[in-house]
Amino acid sequence: MQSSTSPVAVAPLFEPIQLGSLTLRNRVFMAALTRNRSVPTNVPNDVNLEYYKQRAKSAGLIISEGVLINRQGTEWPHAPGIWSQEQIAGWKKVTDAVHKEGSVIFAQLWHVGRVAHPDAPEQKATGQPVYAPSAVAAQGGKFRFIDGEPGYVKPTAVEDPIVLVDLFEQAAINAKEAGFDGVEVHGANGYLVHQFLDSTSNTRTDSWGGSVVNRSRFGLLVLQRLIKVFGKDRVGIKLSPGGGYNDMGMSLEETVETFSYFITEADKLRIAYIDVVRYMEAFDPAKRGTSHDVVATYGPLIKNARFFPNGGFSGEEAAALVKAGKASGVFFGFPWVTHPDVAKRLQFGKPLDNQVDFATLYGKYYAPEEEQKKGYTDYPEAQY
């Protein structure tokens, strides 16, 4: 955990910022964090509400955990969705609570693509196969709630990707009804949008694969659909060019070519922000990724959107980027798991010293709501 910071050193993080028509009170943002606590039926509950309410007291911007745009057999059986009216109502309670605390919240729209499993109960319930750009299995995975704890399997290549684009648009409509201030496309970490971008997971020979332009088509079309629902200044995207996680990765040359094109084209849409995640070795045990400086490589390409980097930044490092004009704000991820008051701690020079309880990081499978609080809403704030 990080030691205490100097309030003077991190002062640039506490200047308000405009994100389109939204005013963010600071530049310390909460990245999307899967916590697997929406029991029993993928509907946001009172424990989820308390978790977000705690963090809304200091975060300038909150991105929800990945919100499934339709029923999918993911590794996280209690990840929340946004395909039903019950889920919309659950999220409305969360967004109302966040707004009451003075923060802003975007929904991260999530389709996992090939890293779902056909034998997962949620996937079986759909009556649909696991769709992906191509019939190429990812290495790895561990579905602990399925007998034998299997890994990833070969998916079914979706015949017409437009059917998946349509799901993102409907999810955005639902997110708007649920009171979210905007939406973020999950285009990182080896999930569906990333799978279309990467030539190792997208081997299509039609207009959705092959060239950089074709591989970028899916993600850009998703952004255009979300803009239609929310407006351009309420849409963002998260990208992880370095790959690694979920068996993603191209050569350095192809990586830079692909993501430079995609980011340039996304920026032309004048969306609210682009979140680019640094390569992190800890999330690449198979050494599939391509380590490179994403801030220096892609930051200068962003002319219209806000650039919000992400990935293991310290408070001082984040503040230095903002002060130098290399970023407009910074996403923090894991510190928010164990500290409900990350931004306030940085502002007042308090250390990020709560120790993580890894045993409860993703909750307890199929346990009741009351049992999901441990390691979720019980991390203490600092003394001020």
Side-chain angles (χ1 to χ4, degrees):
M1 285 297 171
Q2 297 175 15
S3 59
S4 58
T5 58
S6 162
V8 174
V10 298
L13 296 176
F14 293 93
E15 298 171 3
I17 180 176
Q18 285 298 125
L19 187 64
S21 58
L22 297 167
T23 301
L24 310 182
R25 62 189 172 198
N26 63 50
R27 302 170 189 236
V28 180
F29 308 145
M30 176 175 160
L33 296 159
T34 294
R35 304 305 309 280
N36 196 46
R37 296 306 210 284
S38 295
V39 295
T41 55
N42 309 103
V43 175
N45 53 40
D46 288 343
V47 180
N48 301 143
L49 188 155
E50 178 61 24
Y51 170 81
Y52 283 103
K53 181 180 178 181
Q54 290 173 350
R55 284 145 184 82
K57 294 178 188 294
S58 70
L61 170 65
I62 292 174
I63 309 302
S64 78
E65 61 208 279
V67 180
L68 295 170
I69 62 176
N70 66 331
R71 196 183 299 273
Q72 300 167 52
T74 76
E75 287 181 274
W76 321 109
H78 308 309
I82 199 159
W83 64 82
S84 73
Q85 284 299 315
E86 188 180 5
Q87 291 165 337
I88 291 169
W91 278 119
K92 186 64 169 66
K93 293 177 183 178
V94 172
T95 60
D96 284 348
V98 168
H99 293 149
K100 190 173 181 180
E101 296 295 339
S103 195
V104 170
I105 184 168
F106 278 39
Q108 188 190 71
L109 303 184
W110 190 28
H111 192 297
V112 305
R114 68 177 182 171
V115 294
H117 199 286
D119 293 335
E122 289 297 312
Q123 193 68 42
K124 285 184 175 180
T126 70
Q128 299 279 326
V130 171
Y131 285 124
S134 304
V136 178
Q139 299 299 307
K142 191 172 187 178
F143 292 81
R144 292 172 174 82
F145 53 92
I146 300 176
D147 287 345
E149 299 190 347
Y152 301 137
V153 298
K154 183 185 290 188
T156 298
V158 62
E159 184 175 350
D160 182 5
I162 289 294
V163 300
L164 301 177
V165 175
D166 290 343
L167 291 176
F168 276 95
E169 182 175 351
Q170 184 59 54
I173 292 168
N174 294 350
K176 195 169 189 179
E177 184 180 344
F180 283 99
D181 298 294
V183 286
E184 175 183 280
V185 177
H186 197 341
N189 297 351
Y191 298 116
L192 184 64
V193 172
H194 196 176
Q195 290 163 27
F196 270 95
L197 281 168
D198 194 300
S199 63
T200 67
S201 51
N202 180 355
T203 60
R204 299 175 75 102
T205 56
D206 60 6
S207 62
W208 300 95
S211 69
V212 172
V213 173
N214 286 358
R215 285 184 279 117
S216 297
R217 182 182 173 198
F218 183 85
L220 293 173
L221 186 54
V222 168
L223 286 173
Q224 291 166 17
R225 291 287 195 93
L226 302 191
I227 289 170
K228 188 171 80 171
V229 176
F230 265 97
K232 60 189 178 184
D233 67 343
R234 299 297 182 96
V235 174
I237 189 167
K238 180 179 183 178
L239 301 166
S240 55
Y245 192 75
N246 279 331
D247 195 25
M248 303 300 286
M250 301 178 285
S251 70
L252 178 59
E253 181 181 3
E254 190 174 17
T255 296
V256 172
E257 180 188 14
T258 298
F259 284 93
S260 293
Y261 174 81
F262 185 87
I263 287 170
T264 299
E265 294 303 306
D267 186 56
K268 289 178 183 176
L269 297 175
R270 296 183 176 271
I271 58 176
Y273 69 86
I274 299 174
D275 168 4
V276 182
V277 185
R278 296 196 292 191
Y279 172 81
M280 300 180 72
E281 190 174 355
F283 294 97
D284 186 19
K287 302 295 182 282
R288 277 280 285 115
T290 308
S291 178
H292 60 298
D293 186 341
V294 300
V295 174
T297 303
Y298 307 111
L301 303 177
I302 301 171
K303 310 296 185 183
N304 303 303
R306 296 288 193 178
F307 176 39
F308 297 153
N310 187 346
F313 287 93
S314 68
E316 290 94 337
E317 189 180 11
L321 281 178
V322 171
K323 185 176 181 179
K326 295 180 179 179
S328 296
V330 175
F331 278 109
F332 294 80
F334 204 74
W336 286 105
V337 170
T338 51
H339 305 88
D341 55 341
V342 170
K344 191 173 180 181
R345 285 183 186 238
L346 291 177
Q347 187 174 18
F348 288 92
K350 301 290 185 179
L352 299 172
D353 56 358
N354 289 343
Q355 299 301 304
V356 63
D357 178 3
F358 284 103
T360 60
L361 189 58
Y362 296 112
K364 189 176 180 181
Y365 291 155
Y366 304 104
E369 185 177 327
E370 188 65 26
E371 293 183 31
Q372 301 294 347
K373 294 180 179 179
K374 183 170 175 55
Y376 187 55
T377 57
D378 58 353
Y379 286 106
E381 294 186 2
Q383 296 295 313
Y384 295 96

